[in-house]
Amino acid sequence: MIDMKKLLFILSLLPLIAYAKAPEWVSQTPSDPFYYWAVGISPLTNPNAQEVAQKQAIDNIAQQISVNVESNSFLNISEVDYTYREEYQKQMRLSTQNYIEDIQVYDTYQDKKFYYVCYRLSKSEYKASITRKSESVASQAYQYLNQAQNSEADGNLIGAIDLYRKGLEIVEPWLYLDLVYQNVNVPVALYSGYKSLFDGLTMTVTPQTTTIQNLKAVNIEIVAQVEKRGVAIKNLPLIAKFNIGAGNITPSQKTDNTGKAHFYLTQVSSKEKTQLINIQIDNTIFHSMPKIFNNALTISQLPVQTVNLTVEQQNISLYINSIGNGMPQLVRQIASVLGNQNFNVTTNLQEATHIMDVATKLNKGSVVRQELGNLQEWTASLVILLKDKQGNVITQYNDEDVRVLTETDASNATAAQRATTELTKHFKRTFPKQLQTIDL
């Protein structure tokens, strides 16, 4: 027969017995020369107590691991800015923490309030895993290094820069390790290859100088050729832009298999007598590189070539023949705009080399009814014929049925003034561009 008094006494001691059996590691984290040890703890009130305690223990082990910059690593061999080096040393610790393998659960324990877990990691096994990782990283990156060098030798610098980028992305988290493959320090070779990729690059342009006349149609081909130590550089994006002056030129072109890029100058809109067009490498090709290498890298001076453009001024005398004359202020505005376009406006028909017929029209329309008050609608038109002295039409400009509104009791003069304002804005914006497409 069970003695109930004894049973109740034993049951009352069970919690004390359970808590008394808490392992030593709960209160004192183990320590020895062969393992990294860590204990994680989380209150049982947390529904994810086990996961929280496990992460805490793993993070603790990661913090114990000494991350040293090896003697033949990229960081020791290459010249890296001190501020950048400090930033990267923080990053490399994170890289190592993310690569912890073979970590073991040594033991777990739970009391009335907390869940405990004890982890350990063999120092020798961890070192071996890092060695395996460095060998794997060096081998993978070496393949990109080899391909990049072959691409560079073939004159495909764009292909080479992409391959250098891929190789550098692989080694980036592990730059503190001695990443050597086939006796080649792979990160250093990748970095050096990228840094010197554009060394020895030369560019020539044809023509180097050219002359045009203002108010003459332009269609000039400019050829840029890029080489590196006698090898034509293909697929390289070049950009052309005015350094002094303004106009239209093909903005971006890639070199072909002969290393040539063809640009076309189709308009000169500036009145500068001497204008310069720069042709250079489009530096956006470097934007895809890993940030750490762009921070540490000063690219060699890239070649720039300049085309000198001389603009000769023509003596063009223009007689304006006003037709309709419903808007005399508009005719004066047109004369002012043309004067800024290097026309000499004259009132002497015999002296003129060109004649411009300016026909204007202003028509009163219907009343537009609105809640806040009625308005009067008007339509205005401007037609221009630019002719040579023999009467041949060179170009025609039309701006018809332009709508303006006035008060219902406004005079014709008020309507003409508003129409003049609108037609002048259109003319200033459109006609100078039209002039650049014709040959005077």
Side-chain angles (χ1 to χ4, degrees):
M1 183 175 179
I2 299 175
D3 188 332
M4 292 302 295
K5 289 184 178 181
K6 288 184 177 180
L7 179 59
L8 290 172
F9 177 73
I10 292 171
L11 289 174
S12 68
L13 292 175
L14 281 178
L16 297 175
I17 294 171
Y19 301 153
K21 288 184 178 179
E24 290 185 12
W25 58 262
V26 170
S27 57
Q28 181 65 46
T29 303
S31 177
D32 68 61
F34 306 105
Y35 289 91
Y36 298 107
W37 292 87
V39 173
I41 179 173
S42 178
L44 294 176
T45 53
N46 188 327
N48 301 313
Q50 291 189 16
E51 290 83 354
V52 171
Q54 290 168 1
K55 184 178 184 305
Q56 185 184 106
I58 293 173
D59 289 347
N60 189 301
I61 284 181
Q63 291 174 10
Q64 296 177 51
I65 296 174
S66 176
V67 182
N68 296 315
V69 179
E70 297 183 359
S71 59
N72 288 323
S73 70
F74 172 86
L75 290 181
N76 261 343
I77 293 177
S78 300
E79 294 181 2
V80 179
D81 179 77
Y82 177 78
T83 302
Y84 164 72
R85 185 186 180 94
E86 279 192 331
E87 177 186 340
Y88 183 75
Q89 283 178 321
K90 296 176 184 177
Q91 179 181 332
M92 72 186 187
R93 181 176 292 279
L94 291 175
S95 300
T96 305
Q97 291 173 7
N98 293 333
Y99 190 68
I100 294 177
E101 293 181 340
D102 303 321
I103 195 167
Q104 301 172 350
V105 178
Y106 176 73
D107 197 5
T108 62
Y109 175 71
Q110 179 178 318
D111 60 19
K112 189 176 180 180
K113 295 183 178 181
F114 296 97
Y115 174 81
Y116 305 83
V117 63
C118 182
Y119 274 87
R120 71 177 184 178
L121 174 65
S122 168
K123 293 180 179 180
S124 60
E125 289 180 7
Y126 174 75
K127 185 176 181 180
S129 71
I130 286 294
T131 300
R132 290 193 300 271
K133 181 64 178 178
S134 64
E135 291 172 351
S136 172
V137 169
S139 174
Q140 292 179 57
Y142 181 82
Q143 306 308 315
Y144 285 111
L145 171 65
N146 189 45
Q147 293 173 39
Q149 291 172 337
N150 290 337
S151 183
E152 182 179 353
D154 190 41
N156 185 3
L157 300 192
I158 296 301
I161 201 171
D162 185 58
L163 291 163
Y164 280 125
R165 175 185 59 80
K166 290 177 179 178
L168 289 168
E169 285 177 344
I170 290 175
V171 301
E172 178 184 1
W174 310 99
L175 293 179
Y176 60 92
L177 297 177
D178 186 1
L179 299 176
V180 174
Y181 185 80
Q182 294 189 2
N183 296 321
V184 175
N185 191 312
V186 181
V188 172
L190 284 165
Y191 176 80
S192 299
Y194 167 59
K195 187 175 181 179
S196 64
L197 190 58
F198 294 89
D199 287 354
L201 207 64
T202 60
M203 182 192 302
T204 57
V205 292
T206 305
Q208 290 184 321
T209 61
T210 188
T211 301
I212 67 168
Q213 288 184 317
N214 70 313
L215 303 177
K216 285 281 186 180
V218 176
N219 187 16
I220 298 173
E221 181 184 29
I222 300 172
V223 180
Q225 184 166 21
V226 184
E227 293 183 345
K228 181 175 180 178
R229 301 183 181 97
V231 177
I233 302 303
K234 54 191 175 184
N235 202 37
L236 184 66
L238 305 180
I239 56 174
K241 58 184 179 181
F242 278 84
N243 187 32
I244 298 176
N248 288 342
I249 187 169
T250 316
S252 179
Q253 288 290 301
K254 290 184 178 181
T255 55
D256 57 23
N257 287 336
T258 66
K260 295 179 179 179
H262 300 262
F263 296 88
Y264 294 91
L265 176 65
T266 57
Q267 183 187 78
V268 175
S269 55
S270 170
K271 295 189 292 183
E272 296 275 356
K273 292 183 179 180
T274 301
Q275 304 186 34
L276 301 178
I277 299 172
N278 282 355
I279 298 179
Q280 60 196 67
I281 296 171
D282 185 350
N283 61 15
T284 58
I285 61 176
F286 305 110
H287 293 176
S288 62
M289 292 303 293
K291 180 181 177 182
I292 68 165
F293 298 106
N294 276 342
N295 285 351
L297 179 64
T298 301
I299 300 171
S300 301
Q301 184 67 37
L302 299 176
V304 178
Q305 283 293 334
T306 300
V307 177
N308 291 275
L309 187 62
T310 300
V311 179
E312 293 182 346
Q313 303 298 314
Q314 290 192 84
N315 183 22
I316 298 178
S317 297
L318 181 67
Y319 177 82
I320 297 179
N321 180 32
S322 178
I323 302 172
N325 202 26
M327 289 176 277
Q329 183 62 31
L330 175 60
V331 177
R332 287 192 287 272
Q333 291 287 348
I334 290 172
S336 176
V337 172
L338 294 173
N340 291 331
Q341 296 297 318
N342 294 317
F343 284 91
N344 295 319
V345 179
T346 179
T347 58
N348 188 332
L349 178 61
Q350 302 303 317
E351 294 179 355
T353 59
H354 293 74
I355 299 170
M356 176 176 284
D357 291 338
V358 178
T360 60
K361 187 185 296 185
L362 180 64
N363 294 324
K364 189 174 184 178
S366 59
V367 174
V368 179
R369 303 191 181 279
Q370 296 182 344
E371 290 183 9
L372 299 179
N374 297 336
L375 295 173
Q376 178 65 52
E377 182 183 50
W378 304 75
T379 56
S381 298
L382 171 63
V383 177
I384 292 177
L385 294 179
L386 178 61
K387 303 180 291 186
D388 61 20
K389 195 65 177 286
Q390 288 72 41
N392 300 310
V393 176
I394 300 171
T395 190
Q396 180 171 336
Y397 173 85
N398 294 293
D399 191 9
E400 300 183 270
D401 298 325
V402 175
R403 182 172 180 259
V404 293
L405 297 173
T406 66
E407 293 75 12
T408 54
D409 59 351
S411 64
N412 286 7
T414 299
Q417 184 178 9
R418 294 191 182 180
T420 294
T421 300
E422 290 302 312
L423 291 170
T424 300
K425 285 195 298 186
H426 298 179
F427 183 78
K428 284 182 176 180
R429 184 169 59 245
T430 306
F431 193 70
K433 294 179 181 179
Q434 186 173 328
L435 283 176
Q436 299 297 331
T437 65
I438 63 177
D439 193 357
L440 291 177

